[in-house]
Amino acid sequence: MASGPGKEKSVNPVLRISQLDALELNKALEQLVWSQFTSCFHGFKPGALAHFEPEVKAFLWLLLWRFTVYSKNATVGQAILNIQYKNNFSQTEKYQPLSKHQKLWYLILTVGGRWLEERCYDLLSHRQLQSFCRVKHYVNFGAGLVKLCTLVNFLIFLQKGTFATLTERVLGIRSVFCKPQSVRQVGFEYMNRELLWHGFAEFLIYLLPLINVQKLKLKLSSWCLPVAGLCDSENTLAAQGRECSLCGEWPTLPHTMGCPHVFCYYCIKSNYLVDMCFTCPKCGSELHGLQPLKYKIEMTELHA
């Protein structure tokens, strides 16, 4: 809601879950930016960015800060959820944007703090002198104290729901909605279609194993191609054993089932395993037993 010449935007408190979702979206964006950046160096020598990784990350986070908090008073995750930062030090309850000092200190505490932590750990991990060990001890103590304060701030946030991070509490910046949240009209047409389709799919999954699809296909083929309608050439071809009555190809390991028609061994065997009452799709004869077909075909006939 844009503010008019004599009006100011009123603030709207943000739910705790919305603030936490914004933080998770910020982390996901940082991981995505870093993964896309490192993919540009796959052709380089392994470990090319290892020595400058804290500085490169700090530069990337600086760019994100410049185009999010500095220009829009909101991070990427907050912008997605219609949230922005408000200067909580202002005496009025109307919306007040962040000051330049707050934005600069936000950069120092977030980007600078993470860079200092990573760089100090990298430098002090290779030093064995007594003085550096003492500095490392102080740095670890300070990092532990900051983490303890972060935990206390999170517990307070769960109770009051005002400042999700320690940086926000120190700088006095608060998350508010950009405009009032209206009641969302939810349509259930799409959900009803999905539920109906899933119910129909589950019914088919339960029903299809109970139907002998192979036998049904053979029945349909026998109705569409009755025996009386077969031409003499097809009967002669089947009698000569050049065509499987199931697949229509040259029979592999030709077998018969007691009728004049020929089948591939694997075709007839698989159909018999599926249907114990299997009948010939050509003449309707029942399967009494499989017998290998013994015939002699001249090589000239194969090329005829």
Side-chain angles (χ1 to χ4, degrees):
M1 181 173 65
S3 59
K7 298 181 181 179
E8 292 179 333
K9 292 191 297 184
S10 59
V11 298
N12 301 278
V14 181
L15 300 176
R16 297 172 178 83
I17 186 62
S18 299
Q19 300 184 53
L20 295 178
D21 287 342
L23 295 177
E24 292 298 324
L25 288 174
N26 294 334
K27 294 178 181 178
L29 174 67
E30 292 177 356
Q31 294 177 358
L32 179 62
V33 171
W34 179 248
S35 63
Q36 293 295 323
F37 181 80
T38 54
S39 64
C40 300
F41 295 87
H42 281 172
F44 289 75
K45 182 180 178 180
L49 294 177
H51 299 290
F52 308 100
E53 182 174 335
E55 286 74 19
V56 174
K57 284 185 177 180
F59 178 73
L60 294 177
W61 307 158
L62 173 63
L63 293 179
L64 289 178
W65 169 85
R66 172 61 182 83
F67 294 104
T68 56
V69 177
Y70 183 81
S71 59
K72 299 181 181 179
N73 293 312
T75 62
V76 175
Q78 290 176 331
I80 295 175
L81 298 176
N82 191 30
I83 302 173
Q84 61 184 2
Y85 278 134
K86 168 188 177 295
N87 187 355
N88 203 52
F89 288 147
S90 60
Q91 300 298 326
T92 177
E93 285 296 326
K94 301 298 182 180
Y95 176 77
Q96 294 292 334
L98 302 182
S99 63
K100 291 186 178 180
H101 294 288
Q102 287 177 318
K103 295 177 181 179
L104 182 60
W105 277 108
Y106 182 90
L107 172 67
I108 295 174
L109 293 179
T110 54
V111 179
R114 284 189 291 180
W115 171 82
L116 183 63
E117 181 182 3
E118 293 181 6
R119 180 50 67 190
C120 288
Y121 179 81
D122 186 45
L123 291 176
L124 298 178
S125 60
H126 301 286
R127 303 290 184 176
Q128 299 297 333
L129 299 178
Q130 186 68 24
S131 58
F132 285 101
C133 291
R134 186 174 301 177
V135 172
K136 183 179 179 180
H137 174 73
Y138 290 147
V139 170
N140 291 336
F141 177 78
L145 184 61
V146 171
K147 292 180 180 180
L148 179 61
C149 295
T150 303
L151 175 61
V152 175
N153 174 80
F154 184 74
L155 296 177
I156 298 175
F157 165 73
L158 293 179
Q159 181 180 7
K160 298 184 177 181
T162 52
F163 302 101
T165 63
L166 185 62
T167 302
E168 296 177 2
R169 183 175 297 275
V170 172
L171 299 180
I173 55 179
R174 181 182 175 187
S175 298
V176 295
F177 281 116
C178 301
K179 54 185 178 181
Q181 300 297 294
S182 58
V183 179
R184 188 174 66 176
Q185 300 294 333
V186 181
F188 294 96
E189 292 81 4
Y190 176 77
M191 185 180 298
N192 292 336
R193 290 197 300 269
E194 288 295 316
L195 291 176
L196 180 61
W197 169 250
H198 284 296
F200 181 68
E202 291 179 359
F203 173 73
L204 290 181
I205 292 174
Y206 173 77
L207 181 63
L208 286 179
L210 304 179
I211 300 176
N212 193 335
V213 181
Q214 188 68 22
K215 184 176 182 180
L216 183 61
K217 290 170 60 178
L218 294 176
K219 282 290 184 181
L220 292 176
S221 63
S222 63
W223 292 341
C224 296
L225 298 174
V227 180
L230 292 177
C231 61
D232 296 336
S233 61
E234 290 184 0
N235 288 329
T236 305
L237 187 65
Q240 291 179 352
R242 293 187 179 183
E243 181 185 88
C244 174
S245 298
L246 290 173
C247 65
E249 302 293 336
W250 186 276
T252 304
L253 299 178
H255 280 66
T256 60
M257 50 177 284
C259 65
H261 301 98
V262 183
F263 305 89
C264 298
Y265 172 76
Y266 298 104
C267 292
I268 188 65
K269 191 66 175 179
S270 59
N271 281 272
Y272 178 71
L273 291 176
V274 173
D275 184 13
M276 302 298 292
C277 299
F278 175 76
T279 57
C280 177
K282 299 288 187 179
C283 60
S285 302
E286 295 184 359
L287 176 62
H288 299 290
L290 293 179
Q291 297 178 357
L293 180 64
K294 298 181 180 180
Y295 60 94
K296 188 175 181 180
I297 301 177
E298 298 295 336
M299 294 300 295
T300 56
E301 297 181 3
L302 295 178
H303 301 284

